[in-house]
Amino acid sequence: MSAMLAMAGSAAAHASAVTGADGTREGIKGHPGCAQLDARGCLDLALAAMGGRDKLAGIHSEQLDVIGHTALVEQSYRQAPFITSYARDQLTVDFDQARLLDSNHGVWPEADPHQAESDVALIVTGQGGVYRSKGGDSPCSLADLEGARDTLALGPERLLLTASAAPDLHYADSEWLRSTPHSVLEFDWHGQPVRVLLNGFNHLPDAFERTASFQDFWFAWGDVAQRVYYDNWKLLGGVLLPTNRIEQRNGVLWQSTQILDARFNATLDEKTFAVDAAAAAKSKLSKGWNREFSDQHRVELAPGIELYRGAWNATLIRQDDGVLALEAPISPHYVAGVLAKAHSAFPGLPVKAVLSSSDSWPHVAGVREAVAEGLPVYVLDLNQPLLARVAAAPHRLQPDPLQAAPKAPQWRVVSGKQVIGSGANQAVIYPLRGASTERQYMVYFPQHKLLYASDTLALNPDHTLYDPELMHEVVQAVAREHLQVDTVYAMHEGPTPWSQVVHMVDAASR
């Protein structure tokens, strides 16, 4: 009966694949491959195509050898085409006990020479998650907890079973995918509609899609359109499994992974899942990028110029007519704390503007708060289109102040030297324009011979420069603009003597 239905469904799908007179695809009528079937009947065909419900449910655990790459859309110095990082993972997934072990060998292209490769293990259990390295266990990120949850429920081994368990499973509008008509099943999962695209000819789930908010670097974009493609199907232990997974977010092809080898239901070593309970519990308390601003590490760079050290530094600059906030990083909530500190540290003075010196997404995720507050934001000309998209990005799933009360951005677009204010704390913006700093600007305080170098200065534990090319380009820009600098600091580094940095640049070039 299933074979007859499949043949009839394929014919119906082909008949409904209408091409308009202009050669464009028109809407799909009906449900390709699932003619005269309700949503659960269509799902049953998909389960059968993968080997059957019992075969899929019989995968209690799996051990995978996986290779993949990621487009560093949040870290690439010059935007698309993006720099790529690489990984080789030995992944163990225990579906029965909802736990995961991922031993990752990563290759990071932006690292210093001979330091690109690293090894770390991620272990997620019901207790929480940890990273395991030579130094012991430390709490994993909220993003990795979220990723483990997705793997356990929305990976290809469990996607159809998760759909089957959903009480609201129903048809959505059919879609074209890779020139092929697909029936679409939709169900709610943790408050998010998930759509599974079933091939109208062979009934296999070629992709799933949803709109979700993420806790990784995509946090800045709010409601993200995600589509995950499945391909390179292999028959493994009686199950037809896609070994290639390609993830697209907001139209960007972001990640691709390929299973090189797979084993099902091997005996698992319980010791490998043992974690430091305190570290694992702490991971569950993480707020992700929505973290609190702290004023505990305040550094007075000059009278009226206060640096607040953290994973992402923020600076408040008092001028005669108001206060400048230098950088709006991490999240709107974090920047709300920065602006509140500006009001308490300099009572009676308004915040006159926010300066956003870079395009790296964790550096700009808080710009939405500045826009919500109606503040002018100084942005580099090359970054204005990206920041406009950040400001316009929908945040309906986790509303922020700008989503609740939309406002038009007040961009102050910087294309060359830009002077802000007067007096002792006058600030002057200079675009850097280097190969690795093309989308960053530096801020100079001439009265103090103080330079803020955006995202360029970071020191290794041995007091050498991380990625010396970045500071090499800053040195070039300082010479080009004929600046006199005594002290330099940056997004991730505190005040450092300029002569010391120049010496380190020279040493790196030998």
Side-chain angles (χ1 to χ4, degrees), residues 104-106 117-121 132-133:
N104 171 273
H105 177 76
E117 299 186 56
S118 63
D119 293 281
V120 66
R132 176 159 298 161
S133 60

Side-chain angles (χ1 to χ4, degrees), residues 214 216-222 289 330 361-362 364-366 368 390 393 395:
F214 292 94
D216 51 27
F217 285 129
W218 290 84
F219 172 85
W221 296 95
W289 297 106
I330 304 178
W361 296 2
V364 304
R368 289 178 57 87
V390 170
H395 282 61

Side-chain angles (χ1 to χ4, degrees), residues 70 73 174 208 429 461:
T70 300
V73 294
S174 299
F208 78 85
I429 298 175

Side-chain angles (χ1 to χ4, degrees), residues 73-92:
V73 294
E74 82 287 352
Q75 298 287 347
S76 294
Y77 296 132
R78 308 181 84 171
Q79 294 295 303
F82 303 109
I83 300 171
T84 304
S85 67
Y86 303 89
R88 183 77 176 265
D89 295 81
Q90 303 301 316
L91 177 64
T92 300

